[in-house]
Amino acid sequence: MIETLFPLGWLHYLLGGLTIGAGVALLYLFNGWVGGMSTVFSSSWSFVFQRPFFQQDRFLSSRHWRLVYALGVVLGALIWRFALADGQAQHTSVPAWQLLVGGFLVGYGARLGNGCTSGHGICGLGSLQLPSLGAVLTFMATAFLTANLMAITTKGLA
C-alpha cells in the first residue's frame, strides 16, 4: 500500500515537512513573523507594482525580510535539485496551458481565501486559527474532487 501511494519513497516528504514546519515555527518564535507564501508573493511584488493593493502597509513594512524569505525558498529548491536529487528533474505530462490555468486559479483562490495552503495549512493551523481550519478543509475537499474528476476524465479518454 505504501509503495502505491509513494512510489518514490516517503522519507523525503517527512524530511521536507519537518524542515518546513521547523522553519516556520522558528520564524514565528524568534520574530513573531508568519511565513505564508501568498503574503511573501504580494509583498515581493510591492517592489514592482504601484497598484494600491501591493502598496498596503502590511506589505511595505515587511517586504524586505519577505523577499529574502522568497529567495531562500528558491535557493532551497535549487540546492535540492542540483545537490541532493542527483540532478534528476521531476517531469510531468500535464500540458503547459493546464499548468498556467491551474496557477492562475490557485493564485485567485489564495487572494479570495486571504491566504494560501502554506499560510493557512502550516501557519494558521499551527497557531490554532479557526478560519484556517475552514480554509484547509476547503482546499483539501477541492483537491480531492479535482483529482478524482481528472482520474475519471483521463480513464474515459484512454
Side-chain angles (χ1 to χ4, degrees), residues 22-56:
V24 168
L26 291 172
L27 185 66
Y28 186 76
L29 270 171
F30 288 120
N31 301 305
W33 296 340
V34 177
M37 287 311 295
S38 62
T39 306
V40 168
F41 180 78
S42 295
S43 66
S44 296
W45 279 113
S46 73
F47 286 105
V48 179
F49 294 114
Q50 297 303 312
R51 297 185 56 142
F53 175 79
F54 295 110
Q55 297 304 309
Q56 296 177 56

Side-chain angles (χ1 to χ4, degrees), residues 47-119:
F47 286 105
V48 179
F49 294 114
Q50 297 303 312
R51 297 185 56 142
F53 175 79
F54 295 110
Q55 297 304 309
Q56 296 177 56
D57 184 56
R58 67 185 178 124
F59 297 142
L60 297 177
S61 65
S62 64
R63 68 185 186 173
H64 295 289
W65 76 262
R66 289 185 192 276
L67 183 61
V68 172
Y69 187 77
L71 292 173
V73 170
V74 171
L75 256 162
L78 289 173
I79 289 170
W80 170 258
R81 165 77 163 78
F82 292 110
L84 303 174
D86 297 325
Q88 299 200 7
Q90 300 262 333
H91 298 282
T92 181
S93 60
V94 177
W97 72 268
Q98 286 181 345
L99 294 172
L100 187 63
V101 169
F104 279 111
L105 290 173
V106 167
Y108 178 74
R111 279 286 294 277
L112 187 65
N114 199 25
C116 59
T117 51
S118 63

